Amino acid sequence: MFASGPHFPKGSTQDTVVLNIDIAPTAIDVAKKSGVGKPKPGVKDENYGLQFDGTSMLSLLTAPKARNSFLIEYHGMGNGIDSNDSCAHINMRCWNKDNKVWYTEPKFDIPDGEKFCFCVDSKNNTYTCERRVNNDNPGLFTNFLYCSFSSGFNEYYDLHKDPFQMKNMWGTLAEDQKWEFIKRIDRIRECRGFEECNQLEDSGFGADEHKMQF
């Protein structure tokens, strides 16, 4: 992410994780440091009485390792019911398109005046993931992507060994390891505020050959 403005050091770079949930607390932090606005009477909270799951990017400049993992969520699109449209399928997101939709090669050879059914998403493409980033430590469970789909499907990738996510390793994990990943997702979804959510990042099993160390 690129940021420019008051209190951001000119020409500096930082290898840290920032998210879109950091934008609002960053704006407030910059405003406070610039002397713009004051909290309402009786509001003592440093964020003007607001609570954020993110944090100011200014604080991450001085503590780049403050965040090592974060939540990813996507809700798949789909029609709730079928319709008379032959391209409308239940729980799918589809449209009728013609050859005019393609502006670059390779174009589909669709005769003029005819259309084809194009589906881009489905409701069961709804997932929740934990992305953990720790490139300094090559150990187990330090740099991974775990995703749980609404259909019950699970994915786990060790990004030290498989950075392009070519092989789903979920089936190789022990049952207690799988259960820990599922519990971590639930905890990250339910936490509130940066400090509470950040405390969950390093929770896990103790280290032995069958257990996890985060």
Side-chain angles (χ1 to χ4, degrees):
M1 179 178 287
F2 293 92
S4 177
H7 308 289
F8 282 97
K10 185 178 180 180
S12 65
T13 60
Q14 186 61 263
D15 183 17
T16 189
V17 176
V18 294
L19 308 172
N20 58 358
I21 57 174
D22 297 329
I23 295 175
T26 300
I28 288 180
D29 193 20
V30 170
K32 288 190 302 180
K33 286 180 168 59
S34 302
V36 178
K38 296 181 179 180
K40 295 180 180 179
V43 175
K44 298 181 180 179
D45 185 88
E46 63 177 10
N47 284 328
Y48 296 74
L50 302 173
Q51 185 181 47
F52 300 101
D53 289 342
T55 189
S56 170
M57 286 181 253
L58 296 179
S59 67
L60 292 175
L61 289 174
T62 57
K65 302 301 181 182
R67 175 191 285 128
N68 288 323
S69 65
F70 53 91
L71 184 71
I72 302 171
E73 291 184 296
Y74 179 75
H75 297 274
M77 299 182 293
N79 300 318
I81 58 174
D82 275 322
S83 69
N84 293 328
D85 187 342
S86 60
C87 188
H89 304 286
I90 192 168
N91 294 327
M92 298 288 291
R93 186 68 167 169
C94 307
W95 293 275
N96 280 308
K97 295 182 180 293
D98 56 29
N99 213 25
K100 295 179 181 178
V101 74
W102 308 108
Y103 292 98
T104 59
E105 300 292 343
K107 296 182 179 181
F108 288 93
D109 186 18
I110 306 297
D112 290 341
E114 295 189 16
K115 295 184 178 182
F116 65 99
C117 186
F118 184 80
C119 297
V120 296
D121 207 352
S122 64
K123 276 195 172 181
N124 64 359
N125 190 35
T126 295
Y127 53 82
T128 305
C129 305
E130 179 187 1
R131 173 69 172 97
R132 184 164 176 81
V133 183
N134 190 339
N135 292 320
D136 297 330
N137 184 354
L140 289 173
F141 310 113
T142 58
N143 189 23
F144 65 76
L145 176 70
Y146 163 64
C147 294
S148 173
F149 287 75
S150 61
S151 63
F153 180 73
N154 292 276
E155 289 182 320
Y156 169 76
Y157 300 97
D158 182 344
L159 298 179
H160 284 304
K161 300 177 180 179
D162 183 17
F164 299 108
Q165 304 168 35
M166 301 295 290
K167 188 173 182 179
N168 181 9
M169 300 299 291
W170 180 252
T172 68
L173 300 178
E175 289 304 312
D176 56 352
Q177 294 172 341
K178 293 178 179 180
W179 183 239
E180 177 61 23
F181 275 112
I182 293 170
K183 289 191 296 183
R184 284 173 64 86
I185 283 285
D186 290 339
R187 291 195 296 265
I188 295 174
R189 292 183 68 179
E190 294 173 1
C191 67
R192 295 293 182 271
F194 179 73
E195 291 187 3
E196 179 183 339
C197 294
N198 198 50
Q199 290 175 357
L200 300 176
E201 293 181 0
D202 291 313
S203 63
F205 291 126
D208 63 40
E209 62 181 286
H210 298 297
K211 295 188 178 181
M212 308 169 72
Q213 180 65 43
F214 287 95

